């Protein structure tokens, strides 16, 4: 199914059904095919590719993968596209979003599909799964490299921390919400604008009519931005992402200053959810 515009997606997106659906924002052509393949394997029954002009897609697209053709690249492409998908989804339908060269991992992903994780969260009365963006980067940063190498991918095993998240009305910190930092955005923060340094993202949630994704990757319903519910720990997930590496390796202001991404805290990425659970980067909550 092809959607010809944002308005077309909002009007006809209900045809995607009520199963887990993912919006994939295609910023460039890097690793689009592997990103699609990863999320189909994870269990997303419908994937919508948001494609601005000039981006080529694999041909043919696999079953369950749909194209949203944009006539231009909106200034706020993520929020515009994701919010259109939210409006099209049935109330309560689990929905997610990611970018190309990003790979969502949920607890026990080696043996359980994403729909099982979402069903558990629904039973736990949780309407969102907080995700942490774990930066992937190539082990070697050669001249002309874009920082992406699936066969030699590394992550940081240390250097993650959280700060309190204050309310906009100066009423104090928000309950059960924190701002999380780490990875390349922390180690190379002089090249990253302050509003892009956080690694927490409300990337998996249940759609509802009043829900809006905000530009800072939080949702308009505050409870959906919490890392835990009031009565016990909640499941979290990770987004293994080459996005920061791509930006740092290609932007003129940083590419000349950065000779490589590896440091003493680097470990090889094993492409397993269990590795990220062992490192404490995500947890199953009460799910065993």
């Amino acid at each position: 199914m092809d959607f010809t515009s944002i308005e077309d997606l909002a009007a006809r997106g209900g045809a995607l059904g009520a199963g887990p659906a993912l919006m994939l924002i295609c910023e460039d052509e890097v690793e689009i095919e592997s990103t699609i393949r990863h999320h189909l394997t994870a269990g997303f029954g419908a994937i919508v590719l948001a494609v601005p002009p000039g981006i080529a897609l694999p041909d043919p697209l696999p079953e369950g993968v749909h194209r949203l053709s944009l006539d231009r690249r909106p200034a706020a492409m993520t929020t515009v596209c994701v919010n259109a998908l939210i409006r099209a989804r049935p109330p309560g339908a689990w929905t997610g979003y990611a970018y190309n060269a990003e790979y969502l991992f949920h607890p026990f992903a080696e043996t359980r599909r994403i729909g099982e994780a979402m069903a558990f969260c629904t039973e736990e009365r949780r309407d969102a799964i907080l995700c942490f963006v774990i930066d992937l980067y190539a082990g070697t940063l050669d001249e002309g490299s874009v920082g992406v190498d699936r066969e030699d991918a590394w992550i940081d095993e240390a250097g993650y921390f959280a700060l309190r998240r204050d309310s906009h009305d100066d009423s104090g910190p928000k309950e059960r919400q924190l701002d999380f930092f780490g990875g390349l955005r922390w180690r190379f923060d002089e090249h990253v604008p302050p509003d892009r340094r956080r690694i927490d993202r409300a990337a998996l949630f249940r759609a509802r009519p009043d829900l809006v994704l905000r530009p800072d990757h939080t949702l308009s319903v505050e409870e959906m931005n919490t890392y835990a519910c009031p009565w016990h720990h909640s499941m979290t997930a990770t987004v293994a992402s080459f996005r920061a590496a791509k930006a740092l390796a290609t932007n003129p202001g940083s590419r000349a200053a950065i000779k490589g991404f590896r440091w003493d805290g680097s470990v090889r990425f094993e492409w397993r959810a269990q590795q990220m659970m062992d490192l404490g980067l995500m947890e199953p909550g009460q799910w065993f």
Side-chain angles (χ1 to χ4, degrees), residues 24-28 32 49-52 55 57 73 77 99-100:
L24 185 61
I25 309 294
C26 297
E27 298 181 300
D28 51 42
I32 291 178
L49 308 178
V51 187
I55 302 294
L57 297 180
R73 187 182 293 262
M77 185 163 69
Y99 299 85
N100 61 296

Side-chain angles (χ1 to χ4, degrees), residues 3-274:
F3 301 101
T4 58
S5 66
I6 294 293
E7 294 74 20
D8 186 32
L9 173 62
R12 295 195 299 124
L16 298 172
L22 180 76
M23 170 66 71
L24 185 61
I25 309 294
C26 297
E27 298 181 300
D28 51 42
E29 297 178 3
V30 176
E31 294 293 344
I32 291 178
E33 186 173 5
S34 69
T35 309
I36 293 172
R37 184 171 63 251
H38 174 88
H39 291 98
L40 287 175
T41 301
F44 285 96
I47 298 176
V48 179
L49 308 178
V51 187
I55 302 294
L57 297 180
D59 186 23
L61 292 175
E63 183 178 356
V65 180
H66 314 277
R67 176 175 182 144
L68 165 60
S69 298
L70 303 172
D71 60 359
R72 58 184 176 82
R73 187 182 293 262
M77 185 163 69
T78 302
T79 54
V80 168
C81 295
V82 174
N83 286 328
L85 181 60
I86 291 173
R87 294 195 300 273
R89 301 284 282 153
W94 279 95
T95 307
Y97 74 97
Y99 299 85
N100 61 296
E102 290 194 335
Y103 309 88
L104 275 159
F105 285 87
H106 60 279
F108 312 118
E110 289 75 34
T111 57
R112 300 180 182 181
R113 290 165 69 82
I114 189 67
E116 297 176 78
M118 292 170 168
F120 171 78
C121 289
T122 301
E123 293 170 358
E124 293 284 283
R125 291 180 288 166
R126 292 289 286 171
D127 290 334
I129 301 174
L130 185 64
C131 299
F132 301 105
V133 179
I134 307 303
D135 290 325
L136 298 176
Y137 46 89
T140 302
L141 191 61
D142 298 322
E143 185 176 353
S145 169
V146 297
V148 177
D149 188 344
R150 282 178 49 85
E151 303 303 319
D152 186 29
W154 295 70
I155 62 173
D156 288 2
E157 68 171 349
Y160 299 95
F161 64 98
L163 301 175
R164 77 177 196 177
R165 179 176 295 172
D166 289 323
S167 302
H168 298 300
D169 58 3
D170 297 326
S171 60
K174 293 187 176 183
E175 182 182 1
R176 292 173 287 113
Q177 294 190 44
L178 295 169
D179 290 335
F180 293 85
F181 302 90
L184 299 181
R185 295 168 176 80
W186 168 61
R187 290 198 280 123
F188 298 99
D189 63 355
E190 68 271 25
H191 300 293
V192 182
D195 61 349
R196 298 185 182 181
R197 294 175 186 169
R198 287 180 26 245
I199 63 170
D200 53 278
R201 184 191 297 177
L204 294 168
F205 50 85
R206 299 179 72 194
R208 50 191 282 182
D210 60 338
L211 186 64
V212 174
L213 177 69
R214 300 185 291 215
D216 64 353
H217 296 289
T218 63
L219 296 167
S220 57
V221 177
E222 291 296 343
E223 182 61 30
M224 290 187 174
N225 302 316
T226 58
Y227 57 80
C229 63
W231 48 89
H232 58 59
H233 288 177
S234 299
M235 179 188 297
T236 60
T238 58
V239 180
S241 172
F242 281 113
R243 193 168 179 238
K246 284 193 300 175
L248 291 169
T250 57
N251 287 343
S254 56
R255 66 186 179 193
I258 298 174
K259 305 305 179 184
F261 293 130
R262 286 172 57 182
W263 66 309
D264 291 343
S266 296
V267 294
R268 281 189 179 274
F269 185 53
E270 299 172 2
W271 295 98
R272 298 187 304 119
Q274 189 62 50

